[in-house]
Amino acid sequence: MRSRFSAPSARLALAAVAAVAVTATATATAAATADSRSTAVRACVTEDLTYRVSLKTQAGGYFLVTAKAKSGVTCYLEGVFPSASFGSSADTEVSPAEHAVSDRVILSGSTAAYAGINPKTTNNDHGREFDFLHLAVAGDEANAVTLALPETATVDRPTATNWHADPADAVPFSG
């Protein structure tokens, strides 16, 4: 007689556990679906952005690169320096002017990010002249863009600041 009474209790307990499992699975599926449709900001790639290069005279002269998201794009740039070079040889690639990672910059609409590029950090008469800058978001070098410089640059050990939300933070001071 005892087994008859325990069987319905066991079935009831099993049904309760199954109901909890089904509810948990449905909740997890709904959460995953909501996450896949979320508007989380993604990292920018080179083609997400438009670029402008201007010449600045502060700190001995440098090029200020302004990046903005294309229409309908919202993305972020990590606070690291852009991948850039003035030519195809390794000695024209920019190196970091800053020693730490800066804040992430979220781009959308008219919001811009700024990086300063100093083409010549040496105090000598050496260097090669260039009229163009090859630029990419770090990690997306295969899709680099070529930008005309506002004037010919003499290049020798170039450096670049990280991307910043404020152009005043993108001045590549030489130390």
Side-chain angles (χ1 to χ4, degrees), residues 2 6 8 16 27 30 49 58-59 79 81 87 94 100 107 111 117 151-152 165 172-174:
R2 187 172 249 260
S6 65
T27 303
L49 309 172
Q58 185 179 3
F81 69 105
V94 301
L107 301 176
T111 305
I117 297 179
E151 70 177 32
T152 300
F173 291 103
S174 295

Side-chain angles (χ1 to χ4, degrees), residues 31 37 47 52 54 58 62 67 83 97-98 106 117 127 132 140-141 143 155 163 165 168 173:
R37 288 180 284 160
E47 68 182 22
R52 188 178 84 238
S54 56
Q58 185 179 3
Y62 69 98
S83 181
E98 298 177 77
I106 297 175
I117 297 179
F132 296 94
D140 190 30
E141 288 79 3
N143 296 306
V155 177
W163 291 109
F173 291 103

Side-chain angles (χ1 to χ4, degrees), residues 22-38:
V22 168
T23 302
T25 302
T27 303
T29 302
T33 302
D35 285 346
S36 68
R37 288 180 284 160
S38 73

Side-chain angles (χ1 to χ4, degrees), residues 124-161:
N124 59 36
D125 293 332
H126 303 302
R128 298 188 328 213
E129 292 191 350
F130 292 93
D131 294 316
F132 296 94
L133 175 71
H134 307 292
L135 181 85
V137 171
D140 190 30
E141 288 79 3
N143 296 306
V145 295
T146 300
L147 306 168
L149 296 173
E151 70 177 32
T152 300
T154 301
V155 177
D156 190 20
R157 296 189 184 175
T159 62
T161 68

Side-chain angles (χ1 to χ4, degrees), residues 91-112:
D91 65 345
T92 67
E93 292 178 8
V94 301
S95 59
E98 298 177 77
H99 298 289
V101 174
S102 306
D103 291 334
R104 182 180 278 184
V105 182
I106 297 175
L107 301 176
S108 184
S110 63
T111 305

